Amino acid sequence: MTKTEYLQRLTAELKKNRISEAEDIIGEYEQHFAFKLADGFSEEEIAAKLGAPEVIAAQFALEKSEDKAARGGKLFLIIALSLAAVVEAMVYMLFFAWGILLYASSLVSAVTGIALMGGFNIAGLIPYMPYGIALIFGVCFLAFAVFLAAGAYYYLSYIKQMVKVTVRWHKNIISGNMLPSLPMNPQFSAKTRRRLRTAISWSLAVFGAAFVLGTVLAQISSGALEFWHVWRWFM
Amino acid sequence: MDTVNKKGLLELCVLSLLSRHDSRGYDISDFTTRLIPVMHGEVYPALRRLKNEGLLKTYTQDESGGKPGKYYSLTQLGREAYMEKMDKYLTLVKAIKQILEGSENDKN
């Protein structure tokens, strides 16, 4: 076998065995040929001494499975990890449900805001207040809706990232590969991060301002600190 | 008893060689295959195996310090693993020697 033939066959075999960084390996064998050729050996001699490409490639392939299995308890590990995965899945489902609840709250807040601003009194649920104040409270609710939505988005991204981290951890343990563990924080693009930050800070500011302004105006217009009694909200 | 099979022995020899000085893959292959009966190409899978286990690391040497190329060196973990493997191997060899010599004595 010539050098080219040997390297070609080795490349093919490595590919067949799904060995990573095959170029790196081929590089080592190329060098081996180069050094031995410089020492005056023929390509055929060198190839023969290296060992059959199939055998060599198989040795690269066995590095993972066999060694990890030899460390023992792989089956036990898989069972333990599966049990852990069930618990993790339940916990994450709970977390996801909370995220959905946040979105739902945001929706409720938005509908309330629109109803207040538009003067729609759905099923008589909205208590009496002068329209000007309803408008301000409407803005307050809308801002709160934006805040909740942005919060829910961030929260769910966080949970998603946590799931990814967990999955990577499981994979690393099972395969014995050492993929770097992922960061715990959700990885947003700079643009998304900027937008989220703007949405959260502005909505919070508008919410606070509208809430205070609405309350103060309601107190002035009703002539009492506890304006809800004057307007008979809870009767 | 992973030092007993050929793979384990080759790995032990590679670790031993690297415990003395950092070497290139070819030099390790050349040196070990002169002494123990393995195919020249089998040294590279062994190196990779040890590297994946975190016992070895590689670095690239340029022309300035010695022969250029990719060098292998032991990590701290590699040193510890080498000591442990060597201990196990020597203990085993001693025990087997005793058994073998004992059986020799029995005949006499």
Side-chain angles (χ1 to χ4, degrees):
Chain A
M1 213 179 330
T2 66
K3 173 184 164 183
T4 322
E5 275 168 6
Y6 188 91
L7 292 177
Q8 268 171 4
R9 273 177 61 184
L10 185 59
T11 310
E13 288 295 326
L14 288 174
K15 213 168 157 184
K16 214 159 82 186
N17 285 303
R18 295 168 190 275
I19 309 296
S20 58
E21 291 165 39
E23 316 80 56
D24 213 39
I25 295 172
I26 297 298
E28 294 259 37
Y29 285 87
E30 255 172 357
Q31 270 218 315
H32 189 97
F33 270 103
F35 282 124
K36 285 281 181 202
L37 284 170
D39 278 349
F41 292 95
S42 75
E43 290 190 359
E44 274 75 13
E45 274 176 297
I46 301 165
K49 288 238 168 121
L50 273 173
E54 300 78 36
V55 176
I56 298 299
Q59 291 196 5
F60 279 105
L62 111 196
E63 67 190 37
K64 275 178 209 151
S65 47
E66 200 184 85
D67 280 7
K68 303 303 171 204
R71 270 175 214 162
K74 181 149 188 182
L75 187 68
F76 173 75
L77 194 68
I78 288 174
I79 291 169
L81 280 176
S82 310
L83 285 177
V86 170
V87 176
E88 281 157 12
M90 290 197 308
V91 170
Y92 286 136
M93 254 140 71
L94 209 66
F95 284 169
F96 265 111
W98 176 245
I100 290 163
L101 203 69
L102 278 178
Y103 268 124
S105 312
S106 160
L107 195 67
V108 169
S109 187
V111 169
T112 312
I114 290 166
L116 278 169
M117 291 175 86
F120 317 118
N121 199 343
I122 305 160
L125 280 171
I126 294 174
Y128 165 79
M129 68 186 88
Y131 182 66
I133 290 168
L135 201 66
I136 293 169
F137 276 130
V139 171
C140 174
F141 271 103
L142 277 184
F144 193 57
V146 172
F147 174 70
L148 279 179
Y153 180 77
Y154 186 83
Y155 174 81
L156 282 179
S157 309
Y158 203 96
I159 302 301
K160 217 168 94 185
Q161 184 71 14
M162 269 172 76
V163 172
K164 274 190 192 164
V165 168
T166 315
V167 169
R168 167 68 60 92
W169 180 73
H170 275 262
K171 271 191 187 160
N172 266 354
I173 292 187
I174 294 280
S175 67
N177 280 340
M178 275 304 137
L179 292 171
S181 49
L182 292 164
M184 279 303 285
N185 295 332
Q187 304 298 299
F188 295 122
S189 67
K191 204 167 134 195
T192 315
R193 200 182 308 131
R194 219 162 37 232
R195 279 184 179 165
L196 261 181
R197 199 184 299 145
T198 313
I200 287 177
S201 47
W202 272 101
S203 62
L204 206 57
V206 170
F207 165 75
F211 185 79
V212 171
L213 187 66
T215 308
V216 169
L217 284 179
Q219 284 164 344
I220 291 169
S221 93
S222 67
L225 275 182
E226 297 175 338
F227 56 88
W228 49 91
H229 290 315
V230 177
W231 289 337
R232 295 169 174 267
W233 277 11
F234 301 110
M235 296 186 88
Chain B
M1 300 262 279
D2 54 353
T3 43
V4 182
N5 59 27
K6 192 165 101 179
K7 209 176 77 185
L9 285 174
L10 176 59
E11 286 177 11
L12 184 63
C13 293
V14 168
L15 288 175
S16 175
L17 188 64
L18 287 174
S19 76
R20 270 166 268 152
H21 52 80
D22 299 354
S23 308
R24 295 177 301 183
Y26 172 76
D27 298 322
I28 300 167
S29 159
D30 196 43
F31 183 81
T32 47
T33 52
R34 275 170 210 267
L35 300 173
I36 55 173
V38 290
M39 301 306 289
H40 294 189
E42 286 182 295
V43 175
Y44 301 103
L47 284 169
R48 191 160 146 117
R49 218 149 44 219
L50 292 169
K51 193 183 168 187
N52 283 352
E53 285 174 18
L55 306 188
L56 306 184
K57 55 180 189 282
T58 53
Y59 61 90
T60 313
Q61 179 85 271
D62 56 22
E63 306 279 347
S64 56
K67 300 172 195 161
K70 189 169 95 172
Y71 275 72
Y72 289 86
S73 75
L74 285 188
T75 61
Q76 188 53 41
L77 190 68
R79 265 173 220 292
E80 286 161 19
Y82 168 55
M83 288 302 170
E84 203 187 309
K85 280 173 198 274
M86 181 172 66
D87 260 9
K88 272 190 192 163
Y89 179 72
L90 291 179
T91 311
L92 184 71
V93 167
K94 220 167 108 185
I96 290 177
K97 198 165 167 249
Q98 248 175 24
I99 295 169
L100 295 181
E101 284 171 354
S103 65
E104 284 292 302
N105 290 343
D106 287 346
K107 277 182 201 164
N108 298 335

